[in-house]
Amino acid sequence: MSNYIRKGIVAFIAIVAAIALLMPYKGMAAGMSLEKVSESPIGEGTSLLKYRHVINGKASNVFVTRVNLNNPYVEVGPIYGTGGKLTVRQNVKKMADERGAIAAINADFFRMDRKGAPFGIVLDKGKLVSSMGKINNWYSFGLLNDKTAIVSHLGFNGTVQAPDGTTAIIQGVNKEEYNPTNDKSHLNKINLYTSDFGATSLGAIKGYEDAVEILVVNDRVKDMRIGNPVGYSIPQGGYVLWGHGVGKQYLLSHFKVNDPVTVTLQTTTDFPVGDRELYSAVGGHMLLVKDGKALTKIPSDSIGGNQPRTAFGVSQDGKTLYMVVVEGPNKSRGVTLDELAQLMLKLGAYNAANLDGGGSTTMVARYPGDTQTTLLNTPKLGAAMRAVPTGLAVFNTAPAGEFANFLFTNGSKGVVGQPITLTVKAYDNHYNPYTLNPADITWTANPADGTFNKNVFTPKRSGTITVTGEYRGVKKSLSLSITAPEVTDIIVSPSPLALRSGGQTSFSVSLKTKSGQVISASPGMVKTSLTAGLGTLQGFTIQAGQTSKSGELVVTYNNIVRKVPVTVGTRWSFWTNTDNLTTLSYHTIPASISTNGSFRQTTDGEPVKASGKALRLAYNFEGSSNVDMRFAYGRFGSSPLSMPGQPLGMKLWVYGDNSLHWLRAELVDAKGKTHYVDLAKQIDWTDWKEIEASFPAGVAYPVALKSLYVVDEEDSTLEPQGTVYFDEISLEYPANTAPVTPPPAPANPTGFTDIKGHWAEATLIEMYKKGIVSGITPTKLGPSVAVTRGQFVTFMDRAFGWTKNNPAKAQSPFKDKLPDYAKASILAAVEKGIVSGFDDGTFKADAPISRAQMAVMMHNAIKKGYGNANKPATLSPSFKDASSFPAYAAESIRFLSERGYVSGDANGGFGPNRTANRAESLVVLDRLMKSF
């Protein structure tokens, strides 16, 4: 359906009333035929039929859901929006599955350039979700409270009454701007909005910027706003009166806050209902069949020609409903509206009406045993299913019943020796899904053909093999086509295998045949063995041992043998900081929100972990629908960052925003294939955190880093915007590979450009020469970079040589993992009583060290002989913030400051809770060393 139809669909309606439509049709015209291809029940009182409809030698596929409304377990009604919100459109399948329908078709017309409120009615079990638009000669589906279906021209009457007794007309309920017959829907009108409309009311839209909105709760005015651009969030039981022009003046002159409001809403029908009531309804379009006669010369406006079509029809007694979809290009011919009318009559409709067609045409149905629906027709030109506001659906309300039948769901092809898992779906005597474990079925086959292990069959020979399953008296057979190909090679992936100590890794085995076919092998098809000491082998999974070791995996098929090198043990190697990454770009899906964010290096004052600059990814998904997934990419320019060697994984520091969004990395391998790496399923932290991730098996090296990105999953309710930072990326390699060459150190210390003229320059150069500290880049020493607890203990270890010739052997007493670079130093310091952890049992090696914590560690070191404990006190400093010294650190700060190891700041304070940086921590450590 063209966009024009939804933007200006009623341009032709004034003509319609003057056109005579009741020309009788008798039988199918020459050159037309209708052949039933299949028919099967899909639920209580509901059958699915498929026809081949031929017109002048060209065929169309026709899908029909036929519903017997006399069945007590049948229910028919509208489906709409998402989660009960009318304007949050989604496709018919998603709407049907959300509501548990067994079949559904698309219904009403809507404007694709707006949120998408329908032009017609949505009445759901007596609840008016959206009123019928005031459009002459449009016909809707209706269901009366005695389950009689009707095709009727529906109308709407609404009024609002003020406290002074005056009344005004309500044009519609939950409508966006459209063109009624000979009128305007919002110009000088009052419209009403409920919480069913969407997240908010209509608000001040384009062309109606000065509209007024009155929020009514418990039938009293709660608030009034003119020019409200975002609309009101409407509570359950409340509603909003929206007014423009004359309607606005009435609302403003007759209501004030706390005034009572009386609203009357009525749906009318031209069908004689007697004492019955309209129970459910959904909007339609032009009448096709009236009182058993197919109409002709039906006005089509721009919906002309052979198009995909959607329609509904009812029998003369109103107890049979026909929901019909005609498939169009590129799978079928499609039909005109006149041809659709003839088709509906032939199918059995006594009255019928058109629904929205073209690209919106959709029919889905839930086959017996399935838990979700399946798309039946191919959308126009093979496009994806269109998101629409409404549909007409059938529901099976029968309770859970007794087992009735089961069907095979697995394929019928296999290879000799390769196990085949037999899977089934089942349904009960009401056609509802029935839970059946295929392992509970009794399976049999000729013993010479193969063997069963519950529902897993392993064939012994090639050819056709019949297997049979029986459950509660129902017996089903499946013919399997088994081949025995001539194998010429074995392919093991990945190869070689690098395993983490104590980790578990799976590999795949494929068999290449003489004809070039590649067959996935199962553990039962090949023999495997593993070098002793590497770990244990179970199927195609290796549980690695704890000891670093090299060996091989041997895979054998008949006389073919393949040996794969295996290494247990990995190591991390620093790869890159982010100081020199400047060719950065920001991309989004959808592209329309690409201006809402950025990807760049940090500037002064923004978070940096341990180098000169970090990377900043700011994202904002506002301005796009949350129905589908949304992506914000930080890309590394036109060429991805190539990773050296064959890394198995990566880790990097991430400053989180606690947004709970999904964080991923995008890799490109040597074959140009994109691989996606989960860094964090949820960003559920703030401040810096080191994130570790493994690369997927099957990566073709060399591999490159293309992007770091944030994902907002479909139907998200998370905060749409945030900012994350990245710094310091390391790569994981097999333990026996040579380390990645680190960034070269400057030829001499003066090569550090960030310490020239620094107050601690001389000390920093001296500490660098002694090997206590190294640069954070080839040209930067990072004097102002914060120091972590683990880093400071490592500086102390290098200064005093605790682990140089005597590595610590103690087990870690802490609950949290100690970083590899600092583990030995921390354990040595714990053994010596110089450091301890926190009350919760953690050490928090990656947490920034405060000046108070640093003072305690230094004081403990002096007590243990690493420093001059007898150095006399020569100073009597008085710090302004002495009252804020932590109790555990007050004595240490006093002892060190009196002996000149530590000093205060220019403002006379000590700053016990301030994070120590590299310069001051190395200076105090230098003083300690010189007193030793």
Side-chain angles (χ1 to χ4, degrees):
M1 195 66 64
S2 71
N3 290 359
Y4 171 76
I5 293 302
R6 292 170 184 80
K7 295 176 181 177
I9 189 148
V10 293
F12 65 98
I13 295 179
I15 305 171
V16 175
I19 299 178
L21 300 178
L22 302 184
M23 296 180 63
Y25 167 75
K26 297 180 180 179
M28 301 269 318
M32 292 188 182
S33 65
L34 186 65
E35 176 189 358
K36 183 162 67 175
V37 176
S38 62
E39 178 177 352
S40 60
I42 59 172
E44 285 282 357
T46 307
S47 295
L48 180 64
L49 302 91
K50 182 177 180 180
Y51 292 87
R52 185 171 183 268
H53 187 211
V54 179
I55 303 176
N56 295 326
K58 294 184 178 180
S60 293
N61 296 320
V62 179
F63 300 92
V64 180
T65 299
R66 188 180 63 208
V67 185
N68 177 9
L69 295 172
N70 287 313
N71 189 297
Y73 296 126
V74 163
E75 187 174 283
V76 177
I79 51 177
Y80 52 92
T82 302
K85 300 300 183 183
L86 183 66
T87 56
V88 186
R89 290 183 284 145
Q90 58 180 334
N91 64 51
V92 173
K93 173 175 168 51
K94 289 183 177 180
M95 286 194 291
D97 291 340
E98 179 184 298
R99 292 284 297 272
I102 61 172
I105 55 176
N106 62 295
D108 212 338
F109 288 78
F110 61 99
R111 286 185 62 158
M112 293 181 68
D113 62 335
R114 300 293 175 90
K115 293 180 179 180
F119 293 172
I121 188 172
V122 179
L123 180 68
D124 189 9
K125 299 179 183 178
K127 176 185 178 182
L128 185 62
V129 178
S130 183
S131 61
M132 181 61 209
K134 297 188 176 183
I135 305 174
N136 295 341
N137 297 304
W138 275 26
Y139 285 76
S140 302
F141 165 83
L143 186 73
L144 305 181
N145 57 354
D146 67 346
K147 292 181 69 173
T148 298
I150 63 173
V151 181
S152 176
H153 174 66
L154 302 179
F156 170 74
N157 296 318
T159 59
V160 54
Q161 181 176 321
D164 59 8
T166 61
T167 62
I169 293 174
I170 296 175
Q171 173 76 6
V173 176
N174 290 336
K175 293 296 180 191
E176 290 184 285
E177 186 184 16
Y178 71 100
N179 292 334
T181 305
N182 301 322
D183 204 349
K184 296 286 185 181
S185 63
H186 286 63
L187 184 68
N188 292 314
K189 301 291 193 304
I190 296 173
N191 279 269
L192 184 146
Y193 296 89
T194 71
S195 58
D196 297 318
F197 180 69
T200 64
S201 58
L202 185 65
I205 61 173
K206 184 178 180 180
Y208 300 89
E209 289 82 0
D210 63 342
V212 66
E213 287 196 319
I214 296 180
L215 176 62
V216 181
V217 179
N218 297 324
D219 296 322
R220 286 190 176 273
V221 176
K222 184 176 181 179
D223 192 31
M224 304 173 69
R225 295 181 191 173
I226 298 175
N228 183 16
V230 296
Y232 283 107
S233 177
I234 308 173
Q236 288 290 332
Y239 57 89
V240 166
L241 292 171
W242 181 101
H244 173 265
V246 175
K248 170 184 175 181
Q249 292 305 315
Y250 174 82
L251 294 176
L252 290 176
S253 61
H254 290 80
F255 290 100
K256 62 182 183 298
V257 174
N258 291 324
D259 276 355
V261 184
T262 302
V263 163
T264 302
L265 309 175
Q266 180 188 23
T267 298
T268 62
T269 176
D270 65 353
F271 187 92
V273 299
D275 57 357
R276 297 173 295 180
E277 296 179 356
L278 190 64
Y279 181 67
S280 291
V282 66
H285 185 222
M286 303 304 297
L287 196 63
L288 299 173
V289 179
K290 182 174 177 63
D291 298 335
K293 300 175 182 178
L295 308 184
T296 60
K297 299 181 181 180
I298 301 171
S300 61
D301 193 53
S302 64
I303 325 171
N306 298 329
Q307 294 283 351
R309 304 284 182 180
T310 309
F312 75 94
V314 301
S315 59
Q316 186 171 0
D317 63 359
K319 293 300 182 180
T320 302
L321 170 66
Y322 304 91
M323 296 161 52
V324 178
V325 155
V326 181
E327 201 168 48
N330 56 350
K331 288 283 187 177
S332 308
R333 172 186 180 273
V335 291
T336 65
L337 284 178
D338 283 13
E339 291 167 349
L340 182 61
Q342 298 170 10
L343 173 63
M344 295 301 295
L345 182 66
K346 183 67 175 178
L347 291 172
Y350 188 75
N351 290 289
N354 181 54
L355 295 170
D356 189 7
S360 296
T361 287
T362 309
M363 179 180 284
V364 298
R366 193 180 77 190
Y367 290 111
D370 288 346
T371 57
Q372 292 191 332
T373 58
T374 297
L375 174 65
L376 302 181
N377 66 298
T378 299
K380 186 176 181 180
L381 301 178
M385 284 183 281
R386 177 177 287 167
V388 297
T390 61
L392 177 61
V394 185
F395 302 88
N396 184 356
T397 64
E402 298 294 326
F403 166 77
N405 204 350
F406 72 89
L407 305 167
F408 290 102
T409 57
N410 56 278
S412 60
K413 294 183 178 181
V415 177
V416 173
Q418 185 177 43
I420 301 171
T421 300
L422 299 173
T423 56
V424 301
K425 61 181 180 181
Y427 56 94
D428 66 17
N429 57 316
H430 294 303
Y431 299 99
N432 280 319
Y434 180 91
T435 302
L436 174 58
N437 184 347
D440 294 336
I441 296 174
T442 301
W443 298 100
T444 57
N446 189 324
D449 291 341
T451 59
F452 270 104
N453 179 11
K454 294 184 178 180
N455 60 307
V456 178
F457 177 70
T458 303
K460 295 180 179 179
R461 66 170 182 85
S462 60
T464 300
I465 295 177
T466 300
V467 297
T468 301
E470 184 173 357
Y471 183 79
R472 294 190 181 181
V474 176
K475 185 179 291 187
K476 295 282 185 178
S477 294
L478 176 67
S479 292
L480 301 173
S481 177
I482 308 300
T483 59
E486 184 178 351
V487 175
T488 59
D489 196 7
I490 301 172
I491 303 170
V492 180
S493 180
S495 178
L497 280 163
L499 314 178
R500 295 176 180 86
S501 299
Q504 192 176 82
T505 300
S506 296
F507 58 92
S508 65
V509 177
S510 300
L511 305 177
K512 187 174 182 180
T513 69
K514 187 175 181 179
S515 64
Q517 182 184 11
V518 177
I519 300 170
S520 178
S522 63
M525 297 176 66
V526 297
K527 295 180 180 179
T528 56
S529 63
L530 189 66
T531 300
L534 289 177
T536 58
L537 184 61
Q538 183 68 39
F540 288 164
T541 299
I542 300 174
Q543 177 65 51
Q546 296 293 337
T547 305
S548 296
K549 186 179 177 65
S550 297
E552 61 185 14
L553 168 71
V554 180
V555 182
T556 306
Y557 181 86
N558 293 336
N559 296 322
I560 303 173
V561 178
R562 286 291 172 266
K563 297 180 179 181
V564 177
V566 179
T567 302
V568 174
T570 62
R571 59 167 182 77
W572 288 97
S573 180
F574 176 76
W575 174 39
T576 183
N577 56 44
T578 56
D579 290 4
N580 300 317
L581 303 180
T582 56
T583 57
L584 308 173
S585 60
Y586 181 72
H587 303 266
T588 63
I589 296 177
S592 60
I593 57 171
S594 62
T595 59
N596 293 2
S598 63
F599 186 50
R600 59 169 173 79
Q601 286 187 313
T602 54
T603 57
D604 290 345
E606 293 179 325
V608 175
K609 175 56 186 161
S611 60
K613 292 183 180 295
L615 301 180
R616 178 183 184 271
L617 176 62
Y619 57 91
N620 187 345
F621 298 116
E622 288 184 326
S624 60
S625 171
N626 68 336
V627 173
D628 297 315
M629 296 178 75
R630 298 177 286 186
F631 305 81
Y633 294 90
R635 294 240 167 101
F636 296 98
S638 57
S639 299
L641 298 178
S642 182
M643 296 177 173
Q646 298 186 2
L648 307 174
M650 64 181 288
K651 62 182 178 182
L652 72 165
W653 287 91
V654 181
Y655 192 100
D657 59 4
N658 202 33
S659 64
L660 303 184
H661 288 298
W662 187 7
L663 182 64
R664 308 189 86 193
E666 193 176 21
L667 306 179
V668 178
D669 70 10
K671 296 180 179 179
K673 181 179 179 181
T674 300
H675 300 269
Y676 303 98
V677 177
D678 285 338
L679 298 175
K681 190 61 179 175
Q682 290 185 327
I683 306 174
D684 56 1
W685 70 93
T686 55
D687 213 326
W688 288 105
K689 179 180 179 180
E690 194 169 29
I691 303 301
E692 181 178 321
S694 299
F695 293 167
V699 170
Y701 294 101
V703 68
L705 179 63
K706 182 178 181 181
S707 70
L708 301 169
Y709 66 103
V710 173
V711 183
D712 185 53
E713 299 196 69
E714 60 184 20
D715 301 324
S716 170
T717 57
L718 299 177
E719 180 65 31
Q721 56 185 311
T723 304
V724 290
Y725 299 83
F726 308 100
D727 206 349
E728 298 270 306
I729 306 175
S730 298
L731 301 176
E732 185 180 21
Y733 293 92
N736 62 349
T737 59
V740 176
T741 302
N748 57 70
T750 59
F752 292 122
T753 60
D754 59 345
I755 63 172
K756 187 67 175 175
H758 192 278
W759 64 269
E761 179 180 5
T763 301
L764 293 173
I765 291 175
E766 185 177 357
M767 298 296 268
Y768 170 79
K769 287 180 178 180
K770 291 178 178 179
I772 294 173
V773 69
S774 57
I776 60 175
T777 75
T779 59
K780 294 184 179 181
L781 196 63
S784 300
V785 173
V787 175
T788 67
R789 288 167 54 82
Q791 289 169 349
F792 186 70
V793 175
T794 303
F795 290 162
M796 295 178 73
D797 179 18
R798 292 171 182 169
F800 299 116
W802 296 335
T803 62
K804 186 174 183 179
N805 298 312
N806 185 29
K809 298 182 177 61
Q811 293 292 320
S812 173
F814 304 114
K815 293 180 180 179
D816 54 340
K817 182 180 178 182
L818 301 179
D820 292 341
Y821 80 88
K823 184 175 182 180
S825 300
I826 293 170
L827 294 181
V830 170
E831 286 180 344
K832 296 177 183 301
I834 294 171
V835 300
S836 60
F838 293 87
D839 292 341
D840 63 357
T842 63
F843 184 77
K844 301 179 181 176
D846 294 327
I849 190 169
S850 69
R851 285 168 53 83
Q853 293 171 355
M854 183 175 67
V856 171
M857 290 183 188
M858 289 179 61
H859 193 194
N860 288 341
I862 292 173
K863 293 176 183 178
K864 298 300 180 180
Y866 300 100
N868 185 1
N870 298 317
K871 184 178 182 180
T874 58
L875 302 173
S876 299
S878 176
F879 297 114
K880 291 181 179 180
D881 54 359
S883 61
S884 65
F885 290 178
Y888 73 86
E891 173 60 21
S892 296
I893 296 172
R894 183 195 62 77
F895 178 91
L896 296 175
S897 61
E898 287 178 348
R899 288 157 180 81
Y901 289 113
V902 297
S903 57
D905 56 33
N907 297 319
F910 179 76
N913 298 317
R914 180 171 60 80
T915 298
N917 60 35
R918 284 162 65 94
E920 59 187 339
S921 66
L922 291 167
V923 166
V924 297
L925 187 56
D926 177 62
R927 293 170 182 169
L928 190 63
M929 293 169 63
K930 289 177 178 176
S931 74
F932 183 41

